[in-house]
Amino acid sequence: MSRDLSEVIGRVLPAPENHLSPELLEQARKARRSFMGKALAMGAGAMTATATATRALAAEGEDVILNLPEHTTGLGQPVAALGYGQPSKWEANLQRRESPGLTRVSQASVSFTPLQGLFGIITPSGLHFERHHQGWWDIDPSKHRLMIHGDDGMIKRPRVFTMDDLMRLPSVSRIHFIECGANSAPEWGNVALPSVQYTHGMVSCSEFTGVLLSTLLEMCGIDRKKAKYVLAEGADGSSMTRTVSIEQAMDDCIVAWGMNGEMLRPENGYPLRLVVPGVQGVSWVKYLRRIEVGDMKWATKDEAIHYIDHMPDGTHRQYTGIQECKSVITTPSGSQTLLDRGYYNVTGLAWSGRGTIKRVDVSVDGGRNWRTARLEGPILPKALTRFNIDWVWDGKPAILQSRAIDSTGYVQPKINQLRAVRGTRSIYHQNAIQSWLVSENGEVSNVQVY
Ligand SMILES: Nc1nc2c(c(=O)[nH]1)N[C@H]1C(S)=C(S)[C@@H](COP(=O)(O)O)O[C@H]1N2
Ligand SMILES: [Mo]
């Protein structure tokens, strides 16, 4: 960009739930309204109006830069009062939230990650989404055990591990996304949830630390000829039990105790969870207590009745675990407001359960024209990948979309392409292109483009 950015830079008013206090939000809206008035009055000279508005803001700011506030002249705090650090109080609106449309059924609940307020690819642990089928627990690690066993000699040395036993073993630390299979499910119908937090906030990405499941299975003497599947079971009341293929189990599954450099948070499975990279969240069994090796799928309740895909012909598909290639623009996104015309860094996330992200294209005209976005490193397999692209908003309505392509060549589909194959009765695996409408007044909302 050769132009002087200060003349054209646009500012995003975040979704109300993020970052700005209600007072600041109202201030910004007022500034926006007076800018719109000026811009309207100046007609074709709108770009000048933007420059005027920007200079007005700079002049306002000069008071701040000239008058030294107390924090520049006084004594600061010695060390953080709490032993464990907390975010700035100014960031109090950046929170996990329960979706407006979802009813909480007893302890079966979901909280969503505020993707609109995050940078890079790592989800801070305190903002990692949660999905509990029967509530969460803070389990005493000294009493937690993991049993590995299998009939017919499939496991020659069955064993019960303590946490200490496990944490002495050779470990790995790897960055992976976890996405609930039901992420973006309301888009199957025409339910337009207001913000990216609710449309896509059941995806998070962390560095997980633990012992490879293959290491444990080999230690226990797995019979590779007989073994075809493993069953993972959790220690909570949801009887969460999921079949994982032996290929995946021996490949990159991790029996993890660490998340982002510290022990797992209780709500994310402390002290032990299974990490099944690329596969829907439900297989990432929390409070992991048992691994059984077998030669048939178990067809447990969470794979025979739930987590199935209803097809248009009335049949249903089972064991569709992989999270296919998907992406979403996180800023500007639903419920945010563009405060003026000019330059924006359009940014978002892309991921694929089958490998790495190869390319992300962005459209600002509802899919007629596409430009290739910049991918931000690191680009890791089965992890979130950040993309960015320059955009100068001319003040006219625009429809922003992103379309990801993964290392297998798979192209993220449009919603009508997905519906043509899958119908509209599904809950899971909705990975269509997401569309955000930017209206003339700068407000961004969720729309579907066919
Ligand atoms: N033991 C147990 N494991 C579980 C669940 C559960 O309720 N109990 N929920 C599953 C579902 S449906 C998802 S999407 C992920 C959510 O993981 P998180 O709460 O760490 O985000 O955990 C999975 N593992
Ligand atoms: Mo889930």
Side-chain angles (χ1 to χ4, degrees):
M1 300 257 326
S2 56
R3 229 169 334 167
D4 175 6
L5 275 184
S6 67
E7 291 290 305
V8 294
I9 200 115
R11 297 179 306 134
V12 176
L13 182 60
E17 289 151 349
N18 167 30
H19 196 80
L20 286 186
S21 66
E23 302 81 62
L24 279 175
L25 197 75
E26 195 36 44
Q27 260 180 352
R29 279 194 196 283
K30 272 198 198 119
R32 160 91 196 145
R33 278 195 292 268
S34 75
F35 158 72
M36 287 304 282
K38 274 185 223 145
L40 235 58
M42 300 199 55
M47 196 51 107
T48 330
T50 308
T52 315
T54 311
R55 268 194 293 278
L57 279 166
E60 263 169 38
E62 262 152 35
D63 280 337
V64 177
I65 201 76
L66 292 177
N67 299 324
L68 295 184
E70 200 203 341
H71 59 72
T72 310
T73 56
L75 273 181
Q77 312 277 341
V79 285
L82 296 168
Y84 198 101
Q86 299 295 316
S88 160
K89 66 178 178 192
W90 307 106
E91 300 299 323
N93 283 323
L94 188 71
Q95 289 182 8
R96 290 189 283 220
R97 291 173 191 274
E98 294 186 278
S99 176
L102 273 184
T103 4
R104 193 199 287 182
V105 186
S106 71
Q107 300 309 104
S109 48
V110 190
S111 73
F112 293 77
T113 294
L115 296 174
Q116 71 279 9
L118 302 183
F119 322 116
I121 60 169
I122 299 290
T123 312
S125 295
L127 296 174
H128 190 293
F129 83 94
E130 303 161 78
R131 172 72 178 105
H132 313 298
H133 290 243
Q134 198 57 260
W136 61 273
W137 298 90
D138 198 355
I139 293 173
D140 178 349
S142 71
K143 302 210 173 82
H144 190 72
R145 300 288 181 274
L146 171 68
M147 175 164 76
I148 297 193
H149 68 115
D151 290 341
D152 302 327
M154 275 183 265
I155 285 288
K156 291 186 205 79
R157 294 178 294 279
R159 189 168 161 179
V160 176
F161 294 85
T162 65
M163 285 302 296
D164 281 345
D165 294 337
L166 293 169
M167 293 175 73
R168 287 173 58 192
L169 295 174
S171 65
V172 296
S173 293
R174 291 183 189 165
I175 295 172
H176 289 300
F177 77 80
I178 166 174
E179 182 181 23
C180 176
N183 201 21
S184 320
E187 299 279 332
W188 278 120
N190 282 306
V191 181
L193 289 168
S195 70
V196 71
Q197 178 155 15
Y198 303 129
T199 59
H200 289 73
M202 283 201 287
V203 69
S204 294
C205 185
S206 294
E207 184 192 68
F208 292 97
T209 299
V211 53
L212 284 173
L213 180 54
S214 61
T215 307
L216 289 177
L217 292 175
E218 267 154 14
M219 260 181 88
C220 295
I222 187 174
D223 183 334
R224 279 306 307 271
K225 287 206 193 76
K226 288 190 195 156
K228 299 272 184 301
Y229 299 96
V230 306
L231 182 79
E233 180 185 270
D236 56 334
S238 70
S239 310
M240 183 54 70
T241 34
R242 293 281 306 180
T243 301
V244 177
S245 77
I246 202 69
E247 291 76 26
Q248 176 109 40
M250 296 302 286
D251 179 16
D252 53 4
C253 286
I254 308 169
V255 172
W257 52 81
M259 186 165 102
N260 296 333
E262 60 182 357
M263 290 298 288
L264 287 159
R265 296 287 170 94
E267 61 270 37
N268 304 118
Y270 181 90
L272 204 62
R273 94 174 298 169
L274 188 62
V275 168
V276 193
V279 171
Q280 60 184 342
V282 66
S283 294
W284 296 46
V285 173
K286 302 192 272 192
Y287 320 112
L288 182 68
R289 70 183 296 275
R290 188 167 74 91
I291 300 268
E292 183 178 346
V293 177
D295 56 7
M296 285 199 302
K297 292 170 177 167
W298 275 264
T300 68
K301 73 171 184 353
D302 286 301
E303 43 200 30
I305 302 170
H306 307 295
Y307 299 93
I308 55 174
D309 301 325
H310 296 278
M311 302 300 280
D313 66 359
T315 59
H316 69 246
R317 302 194 309 193
Q318 291 180 319
Y319 300 106
T320 49
I322 303 280
Q323 294 300 103
E324 298 289 357
C325 183
K326 185 168 172 180
S327 72
V328 68
I329 293 171
T330 54
T331 301
S333 61
S335 300
Q336 296 184 322
T337 304
L338 305 190
L339 290 175
D340 41 37
R341 298 161 199 205
Y343 172 82
Y344 288 89
N345 178 50
V346 174
T347 186
L349 294 163
W351 60 98
S352 167
R354 294 197 190 271
T356 53
I357 291 298
K358 197 169 78 186
R359 201 174 95 202
V360 177
D361 297 327
V362 170
S363 172
V364 297
D365 58 7
R368 261 178 242 123
N369 297 288
W370 296 89
R371 285 183 299 142
T372 298
R374 300 184 297 275
L375 299 185
E376 215 176 85
I379 302 166
L380 301 169
K382 306 176 186 178
L384 295 187
T385 298
R386 171 69 58 179
F387 65 87
N388 298 285
I389 193 165
D390 303 321
W391 177 50
V392 176
W393 185 45
D394 57 8
K396 297 205 190 85
I399 292 175
L400 307 187
Q401 300 176 316
S402 64
R403 176 181 69 189
I405 303 168
D406 73 12
S407 46
T408 71
Y410 177 102
V411 182
Q412 185 183 4
K414 298 204 283 193
I415 184 81
N416 54 336
Q417 293 174 318
L418 203 56
R419 284 195 185 127
V421 180
R422 304 268 311 277
T424 53
R425 294 172 58 235
S426 271
I427 299 172
Y428 305 103
H429 305 297
Q430 197 295 100
N431 66 321
I433 291 170
Q434 171 69 39
S435 309
W436 302 118
L437 170 69
V438 179
S439 302
E440 256 170 2
N441 67 3
E443 283 171 15
V444 188
S445 54
N446 183 2
V447 292
Q448 285 191 353
V449 173
Y450 307 111

